[in-house]
Amino acid sequence: MSQLEEVVRFIIRDEVRRAVREEVRAALAEARGAVQPDNEFLTVKDAASLAQVSAATVRA
C-alpha cells in the first residue's frame, strides 16, 4: 500500500469514527429522552445494544 493510500485510509477512518460517535450519541440521547452530560461515552453494552450486535463485536 502506498503512503498516499495509507494517509487517505487514515483520514477516512477517523472521519467515519467521528461521524458514528456523533450519530450513536444522538440516537442514544433520543432513546433515553435526554442527554446525560456526565456520561459522554457509551458503554460497550449500550453500544452493542444500539447497533444490535454482540459486545465482542463492539470491542473489536
Side-chain angles (χ1 to χ4, degrees):
M1 187 178 307
S2 74
Q3 188 174 7
L4 178 61
E5 289 173 325
E6 288 181 34
V7 170
V8 170
R9 185 175 178 204
F10 177 78
I11 291 169
I12 290 172
R13 183 179 60 224
D14 283 352
E15 287 301 311
V16 168
R17 283 182 179 172
R18 183 187 58 76
V20 168
R21 266 190 226 112
E22 290 174 5
E23 291 297 320
V24 168
R25 188 176 298 131
L28 185 59
E30 183 180 320
R32 288 183 176 163
V35 176
Q36 297 177 349
D38 62 335
N39 190 6
E40 186 171 332
F41 296 100
L42 292 173
T43 64
V44 171
K45 182 179 176 184
D46 287 344
S49 176
L50 186 63
Q52 299 178 343
V53 296
S54 73
T57 302
V58 173
R59 292 180 194 274

